[in-house]
Amino acid sequence: MSDKTSDSIAFVAKGTIPPSPPPASQAGVVKWLRDNLFSSVPNGILTLVALTVIYLVLQKTVPWLFNGVWTTTSLNECREVLDGKVGACFSVLTERWHQLLYGFKYPAEYYWRPNLALVLLLVAVAPVLFFDLPRKMLIFTGLYPFIAFWLIWGGTIMAPIIALLGFVVGGVVFQVYGRSSFAAGFFGGIAAALIIWALGGMLIPEGASENAMLEAVPSRDLGGFMLNLMLGVTCVSLSLPLGIALALGRQSDMPLIKWICVIFIEFVRGVPLITLLFVASVMLAYFFPPDATVDLFLRVVIMITMFSAAYIAEVIRGGLAALPKGQYEAADSLGLDYPQAMRLIILPQALKISIPGIVNVAVGLFKDTTLVSVISMFDLVGMIRGPILASTEWNGVYWELLGFAALLFFVVCYGISQYSQWLERRLATDHR
Amino acid sequence: MSTLTDPPQEQFRLSMLVNDTRYRSLTFQAIAAILLALSIWYLGNNLIQNLRAAGLNISYDFLGNPAGYDINQRLVEYDNQDSHGRAALVGILNTLLVAFLACITATIFGVIAGVLRLSNNWLVSKLMAVYVEIFRNIPVLIWIIIIFTIMTAALPGPRAFRGDDPASTMVLDLFAFTNRGVYIPMPWFESGIFASATMNWLLVLAVLVGSFFATRKIEAWATQKQEATGERPKTLAMVLGVWLVPFLLLMVIMGLTWEIPALKGFNFQGGIKIGGPLIALWFALSIYTGAFIAENVRAGIQAISKGQTEAAAALGLRPGRIMNLVILPQALRVIIPPLISQYLNITKNSSLAIAVGYADITATLGGITLNQTGRAIECVLLLMLFYLTASLVISMVMNIYNASVKLKER
Amino acid sequence: MTGTSQMKVSDEVAITIDGMNKWYGSFHVLRDINLTVYQGERIVICGPSGSGKSTLIRCINALEEHQQGSITVDGTLLSSDLKNIDKIRSEVGMCFQHFNLFPHLTILENCTLAPIWVRKTPKKEAEERAMHFLEKVKIPDQANKYPGQLSGGQQQRVAIARSLCMMPRIMLFDEPTSALDPEMIKEVLDTMIELAEEGMTMLCVTHEMGFARQVANRVIFMDAGQIVEQNEPEAFFNNPQSERTQLFLSQILGH
C-alpha cells in the first residue's frame, strides 16, 4: 500500500452539514430568465421573435375586444356607434344568442326544458366520470336518457315511460334467467322488452301528444349548439356498448363473427364522416320500409353512432391487447364462462386502460358534429352560415360569430381533455 | 383380468349445441349467418320497393352523360360538356392535390412546432403549447370557414388594384393576393427541348431526380472516406452544386420565362391562379393537422428514454450528433405510424371542401352530380369506394414501414 | 487479506473535487464534497437512496451541473466551456444501471459509434478495437446481434466494452448490477474485477459489498448529500466510526 493513501484515507465527518440556500447568482428570477429565455444566442433570438409575435397579435385583438359594442340591432348601427374605430360588434351575440344556442325554431318559452336537461346531464354523467361519487347515483344515470328525451322533445309522457318499462322488464328477465344460461337470459330479456313495447304502443291513446304536459317539439326544430351537444352525448353513449361488442367480436375465435366485425370497422374507419352523413340524408331512407318516414335526427344519430363505434372498438381492442394474457387464463381457470369472464374480469380492466383513448374519440366526435351543417341541419355552424349571416342586419359580421362558436367548442373540448389528463394521472397512480 | 372397453358413445343431445364447445361456435355462427341473411333480405327488399316506387333503378350509366356544370379549379382539361365521369376524375385529382399539398405543409408545421415545444426556451415552448391546444380543440370545419372568410373578407378584390393610386398593390409586382385567389407568375419555356410543355417539365423532374441520386452517391463517397481515414469530408458545397448547376443550366437552355399576372379590365389575366377555396382548405388542413402532428413528434422524442441521451453524451458525442445518430432514428419509429394516420385524416378531412366551394370528389360526385342526376345510392357508393381505396393504400404503406423498421428483439 | 486492494496506487491525481455543492432548485443535494482520487484507485461509494451518490459521479463527467466549488479531472477544470467538457468526457467512461445501449444499432456499431464520430477513428481500426474489447468482456460472438436479443448481463458487459473503446483513463459505474437478475451479477462483477486488476481508475456506486471488499482501495459512505465516512474496506466494514455508517451497514449486511 502506498504510504500516501494510508495516511489520508480514513475520514469521518465531524457532524451533519445542514442544507443551505443556493448562491444568489444560481437561483432566483435572473437565473430563471437566463436559463429559460436567453440561454444562448439562437434562444435569445427566438425569445425576441416570440415576444414580437405576441405583441402583434395582442395589438390587433385587444382593442377590437374591448371596444366591443353590445347593444345595437344591426351591423350598420354598430359601425355608426364605433365611428371609424376598430371594435367588435358583439350585439349580434346579444341579439341572436338564443338562436345560436337553441336553433331558430325551438320555441323560446320552452328554453327551460333543454336547460334543465343540460343541468341534469351533468348530474347524470358525474358518477360515471368521477369514481368517488356514490354508486347509487348511477340509478339516475340510467333514468336520464328517458327524462332528457321527454324534456327536449316533449309529447306524451307515456312514450318514455313505456320505453323505460321495456328496459326494466327486460333487465329483470335477464337477471333471473341469465344466472342459469346467458343465452336464455339475453334473448329472454330482449323478447320481454319487445312485448312490453308492443303492448305499450297499443296502449297510448290517439292524440295523446296534443294534450301532453310538455308540448311536443319536432326534431327538425332542434338546432344550434344544443343540437351539437345532443348529437355528441347521444352518439357517444350509444356507441360505447356497440363499440365494446365490435371489439370483442373482432377478437373472437369464430371466423364469421370476426370477419363481420373487421369488415364493418375497416369500412367505417376508411370513409370520411361526411359520406356517412350523405348516407343518412339521401340514402338511408331507401332501406326503411316504404311507408315509414324516419326522422332525420334519428338517421343522423344512427350513422354517427356507427362511425363512433368503429373508432371506439379500435381503442378498446388496444385496451384488451394491453391486458396481460394471465388475466384471461386466470378467469378461465376459475371456471368462469365467456360472458362472466368478460363482464367481471376482462372488460372492467380493459375499459379502464382505454378511457383516455375513448375520451379522445369522444372529443373528436363532438367536433365532427359540426359536419351536420353540410347536410342542412342547423347546428351552431349551420346557424351561423345560414340564417344569421344571410340576414340583412348581420350580413358581414364574421369574427364575432365565428369567434363565439370557436370559444364554445374550445371550452367544452378543452374541459374534456383536461378531465382526460386528470383521469390518466389518477389511473397511473392506481397502478404501481 | 379386466378388459378395456371403449368409453360409451355420447348421445347427441340438442343442448349440446349450446354447451358443448365443439358445437357451440358453429351454433353461434349459424345463428349469426341466419340473422345476417335475414337483415340483408329485409333491407334489400325495402330498397327494391322504394326504388320501384320512385321509378329508379341502380345503374351507373349516368357517368357517361354530359355533366352540364363548370369547375373552376382543375388540373386537367374539362368543360361543361364533358361527362359526369370526367367531372368525378377532376374531383379525384383535386382531392389528391389538396391532400398532397396539405400533408407536406402539415408535416413542416408539425415538426417545427413539436421540436420547438420541447425547446428549453420557456416562452417558445408555452407558445407552441397554446397553438396546439387552440387548434386541437376547435372543429376543423370552423377553421376552414374562418380561413376562407379571412381570404374573402380581408383580402381586396381585383378592382382594388386598379387605377393610378390603387388601394392594394401586388407584392413585389409579382404576386396578387385577392379575395378570389392568389395569382402567381407562371413559368414556361421559350425554347423547350421537346414540343410539348408536359415533356419539358418531365425533363426538369428527371434532372432533379438525377441530382437526388447524385447526392446519395456523394454521401456514400463521404461515408467511404470516413470509414477509411476517420475524417468525413465536407459535402455541403458539392451537394449544393449537384442540385443547382444542372437545374440552372437546364433553365437557361430551355429559356425559362415568367408570365406575370396583370390586371386587365376587371380581373387578372395570365399567371397561375390558385383559387381561394384551395388555399383556404390547404392552409386550414395544414395548421389543424400540424397541431396533431406536433403532439406526435413531441411524444415520439420524449418516448426515447433520457438514458440514451446520457449514454451518448458520456461517450463524448455532441448534442447535434446525439440527435442525428441516436435519438432521431429511434424517435422516427415512434413518430411515423401516427404521422401516416394523420395523412389519412387529411385525405378524409379534405372532403370538407364542399363547405368552401372547392371542387373535390365529394363536391363533384357527391354534390352537384348527385343533386342533378338524383342517383344518390350510386354516387355515395362510388364516393365511399374512392376513400376506402385511399385508406387501404395508406394503411398498406404504414404496415410496410412498420415491418421494415421493427427493432429486433428476442 | 484481499489481494487486489493492495495494488499499487500511483501518486498521480486523477480527480480533484474541492468544496463542491449542488442544488436542485432549492434542494441542497450535494454538500461540501471534498475528494481526491489518484490514478489506479478503486473507490466504492455506498449509501442510502437519495444520499446523492449517483449525482456525485454524474457531476464528474458533466451529466449534472454543480453550482459551487470545483471539479478537476485529469488536469482539466470542469467548467461550462464545451471544449473542456468534451476533453473530460473522452477521458472518462461511464456505465449505467439500465445499460442504455442503443437498440437500433448492432453491438459492434454500439461500440464503434463514439470512436468514429468523436475520435475520428477509421472504421476498420474502430472495429478491430471493438472486437478486442468484446473479447475481453467475453462476448465476441454477439457482435452482430442487437441489444434486444441479449440478456441483461450480456448487455451490461457490452456497455462496459463500449465505454472502454474510447480508451478512458477513469471509469464510472452507476449501480451497474442493480437491474440484473442474480445469476447475471457475477459475470458483470468478474469483468469489473478484471478491469481493476489491470489498473483502471474506478469509481463505483454499488451495493455489492463483496466486490468492495475484494477490489476497493477505499469505501466512501454518503448520506444526505455529504461524505460521512471513508476508509479502507477492512477498516470500514469491521470498524465503522460514525453512527450513520453503523446504521447503514447493519441494514444492508444484517439480512
Side-chain angles (χ1 to χ4, degrees), chain C residues 5 53 55 78-79 180 188 205 218 223 230 233 243 254:
Chain C
S5 54
K53 31 189 217 298
T55 316
L78 189 58
S79 64
L180 294 177
V188 172
V205 173
R218 246 198 283 183
D223 188 20
Q230 70 174 5
E243 256 182 49

Side-chain angles (χ1 to χ4, degrees), chain A residues 1-2 4-6 8-23 26-27 31, chain C residues 6 9 11 23 25-26 28 31-32 38 67-68 217-218 226-232 241-242 244:
Chain A
M1 275 187 293
S2 140
K4 201 162 200 142
T5 52
S6 68
S8 56
I9 265 189
F11 165 81
V12 180
K14 299 215 177 39
T16 326
I17 305 179
S20 39
Q26 296 293 331
K31 170 147 168 83
Chain C
Q6 305 278 346
V9 171
D11 295 338
W23 285 264
S26 54
H28 199 169
R31 308 180 192 177
D32 196 33
Y38 295 93
Q67 282 81 30
Q68 209 174 60
N217 302 111
R218 246 198 283 183
Q226 73 178 108
I227 295 183
V228 172
E229 187 168 342
Q230 70 174 5
N231 213 333
E232 289 164 15
Q241 300 288 321
S242 152
R244 290 192 274 173

